[in-house]
Amino acid sequence: MKKVALVLGSGGARGYAHIGALQILNERGYEVTAIAGASIGALVGGLHASGGLTEYTDWVTGLSARDVRKLIDPVLPGPGLMKLERVLGRMAEILDGVLIEDLPIPYTAVATDIGASREVWFTSGPLEVAIRASVGIPGIVTPIMVNGRLLVDGGVINPVPMEPVIGADVDFTMAVSLSGPKDHREVLTPAKESAAQRPANEWLDRFTKGAAGVWDNDFVASIMTRFGRGEDADAQPPAYEPAPAGLSITDVTTMSLDTMGALITRFRLAALPPDVLVTVPGDSAKSLDFHRAEELIALGRRLTEKALDDALGESSAQRETPEIVGVVGPSTSSGN
């Protein structure tokens, strides 16, 4: 049985794809013997290491958009828009007070200390606290204090944290990035643009293409109506326009973090590439689309199967006979 060191990246609801990736590894008979994760990756990885991922999966796949809205507990005013206490409370029930050092495999949750501007690796202590620290999306989820550190999402500095698993005694490393390019091509060069406002008919097509998968249909339709394609499309526009109506602070924050995370991920993985990289497109879901578990899990399964086949060159006949395996491995924690 081949051993795998698994790294699960940040990216909000797209992280449901991590569940699909773990399912495929299990079905193919691979043994995950080390896990590191940031944000949603820390959550899914921690639940897997503790043996609670199946229960969590059963819960999230039954959530509707209305259920998700009911789970959000807004905080105004405050350092974030929501606390996520209801969601994390359900997670805490599943984890049942487990300590990281008691997990059957080495596990690291990565958070960001915004006071010291540095990464924080949680390798011991209550698992639910480490996960809560790692999922604090800046501006969206309230940060927490742990031992004098003001902690937010680990993806701010290290969206796909390869470093904690370097040196693990495994056959290969696999990382799941949730920041893939929309059109599956890397955008490596800046876009040059004039500050002078151009007629709408010159940029509406570009906007429509870029908006696909990012904004909902009603929002895109409002832009199309506002600027039009017919008689007034060539009218001289004002110097610039304010942000479109309906664009929320949550939209701006998550889109900005996704953009930043994609760039950081590209450079960090260039320095420490995994043996197998599963890349989930950034436009496959919005960061807060937590009601789309089933389709994102299925997407994670498809992308993981392809990545394993492409990287390892295994045909179905060459694979080991699949078997259902538990989470096994040394009962230790990684120091740093």
Side-chain angles (χ1 to χ4, degrees), residues 238-254:
Y240 63 88
E241 286 286 332
L247 188 66
S248 69
I249 187 173
T250 300
D251 294 328
V252 174
T253 300
T254 55

Side-chain angles (χ1 to χ4, degrees), residues 24-101:
I24 293 300
L25 288 173
N26 187 63
E27 290 170 12
R28 291 195 176 190
Y30 296 123
E31 179 184 359
V32 177
T33 58
I35 297 180
S39 193
I40 187 70
L43 187 153
V44 172
L47 285 162
H48 175 74
S50 69
L53 186 57
T54 298
E55 183 177 352
Y56 177 81
T57 302
D58 290 341
W59 178 55
V60 297
T61 51
L63 294 176
S64 65
R66 183 178 181 183
D67 293 330
V68 171
R69 287 194 295 270
K70 288 181 178 179
L71 289 168
I72 293 174
D73 36 12
V75 181
L76 292 173
L81 297 179
M82 61 189 75
K83 293 188 296 183
L84 290 186
E85 297 298 338
R86 295 167 189 163
V87 174
L88 295 169
R90 181 70 184 97
M91 179 195 72
E93 291 177 7
I94 297 172
L95 295 177
D96 195 26
V98 68
L99 301 177
I100 295 174
E101 56 267 36

Side-chain angles (χ1 to χ4, degrees), residues 6 8 16-26 28 30 172 174-177 276-280 296-312 319:
L6 183 62
L8 303 176
Y16 285 144
H18 294 325
I19 299 174
L22 280 159
Q23 289 175 349
I24 293 300
L25 288 173
N26 187 63
R28 291 195 176 190
Y30 296 123
F172 66 92
M174 186 175 99
V176 183
S177 168
V276 179
L277 176 61
V278 180
T279 303
V280 178
L296 291 167
I297 291 171
L299 175 63
R301 290 178 60 88
R302 292 195 301 272
L303 294 174
T304 300
E305 286 191 309
K306 185 176 187 308
L308 287 169
D309 291 343
D310 291 347
L312 303 181
R319 296 176 199 140

Side-chain angles (χ1 to χ4, degrees), residues 111-122:
T112 302
D113 181 346
I114 55 175
S117 301
R118 66 183 300 182
E119 287 179 49
V120 176
W121 293 5
F122 286 101

